[in-house]
Amino acid sequence: DAGITQSPRHKVTETGTPVTLRCHQTENHRYMYWYRQDPGHGLRLIHYSYGVKDTDKGEVSDGYSVSRSKTEDFLLTLESATSSQTSVYFCAISPRDSYEQYFGPGTRLTVT
Amino acid sequence: SQQGEEDPQALSIQEGENATMNCSYKTSINNLQWYRQNSGRGLVHLILIRSNEREKHSGRLRVTLDTSKKSSSLLITASRAADTASYFCATDRVGGANSKLTFGKGITLSVRP
């Protein structure tokens, strides 16, 4: 998976609790992305980063925040998890603009 | 709004046959990419075609791009059971900031042995 890992791989949490998902890369790529994948919706961009401390919102950013303090790590935080955030979350990386993306293995999150 | 939309949603073919999948999009693009996703796995990049290209090949894959019709097709020749997966097109819009891709909902391809 192109030197990209996600942790945890599976998580079950209760409504209202905070959750942080971690994406770690060993490729030194500049761009990092968080997507969620849901049946009937395909892949939707949550947030992305174009450098350390440089982040921006994607299509479905409400209820999510991100941080990138190091090139290799991109964290996705659900401040107060809701059942609608039950999904599979994918991290992706890319070396430069308008280029192919490399995806991590995904994190399956269930909010009960 | 969804930029890329694939067609058909599902496709079932016999091993050895060719599989053709289509993608339509709405706005001008810099490039269009196709990805494959095996069940329970992350997406894997297959091929990228730029807006000034009309056709591109990679092994058993052939991609065409018609910018006047805002559409692309992915052809997999001599399909194998291992090609069973979901396939997604993704577009990189002109004027979009910082390489944001917009993915379609995907096509489920089943190749029967």
Side-chain angles (χ1 to χ4, degrees), chain A:
Chain A
D1 288 319
I4 176 170
T5 57
Q6 294 183 230
S7 58
R9 293 292 314 280
H10 302 271
K11 186 170 182 66
V12 179
T13 192
E14 293 184 349
T15 298
T17 59
V19 176
T20 295
L21 308 183
R22 180 183 183 232
C23 177
H24 178 77
Q25 62 148 329
T26 57
E27 305 295 324
N28 201 35
H29 286 347
R30 178 182 174 188
Y31 295 88
M32 299 186 76
Y33 309 83
W34 276 110
Y35 294 91
R36 60 177 289 174
Q37 185 175 33
D38 304 287
H41 290 278
L43 239 67
R44 293 180 291 174
L45 182 65
I46 305 171
H47 281 281
Y48 65 102
S49 170
Y50 46 97
V52 173
K53 293 187 168 57
D54 291 323
T55 65
D56 205 349
K57 296 178 180 180
E59 180 186 353
V60 289
S61 59
D62 287 348
Y64 302 95
S65 63
V66 289
S67 66
R68 191 172 178 196
S69 58
K70 298 184 291 184
T71 299
E72 57 266 36
D73 289 324
F74 193 32
L75 304 180
L76 176 71
T77 297
L78 289 66
E79 303 290 347
S80 177
T82 67
S83 58
S84 65
Q85 293 176 314
T86 292
S87 187
V88 180
Y89 291 85
F90 287 99
C91 177
I93 61 176
S94 183
R96 52 184 177 268
D97 206 8
S98 292
Y99 202 69
E100 63 198 62
Q101 295 183 11
Y102 303 96
F103 282 77
T107 293
R108 184 172 295 275
L109 176 68
T110 302
V111 183
T112 61

Side-chain angles (χ1 to χ4, degrees), chain B residues 46-109:
Chain B
L46 294 176
I47 196 164
L48 180 154
I49 186 166
R50 303 199 182 281
S51 60
N52 61 353
E53 298 176 309
R54 292 296 167 257
E55 186 170 315
K56 204 161 182 181
H57 296 255
S58 176
R60 293 185 295 113
L61 305 181
R62 172 178 168 252
V63 170
T64 61
L65 180 64
D66 186 335
T67 53
S68 66
K69 296 181 179 178
K70 292 187 169 56
S71 68
S72 172
S73 67
L74 171 67
L75 169 68
I76 303 175
T77 59
S79 64
R80 305 166 182 169
D83 295 326
T84 294
S86 293
Y87 291 82
F88 296 84
C89 69
T91 52
D92 177 10
R93 279 184 278 187
V94 170
N98 291 313
S99 186
K100 288 196 294 185
L101 292 181
T102 303
F103 287 82
K105 296 179 182 180
I107 298 169
T108 301
L109 173 66

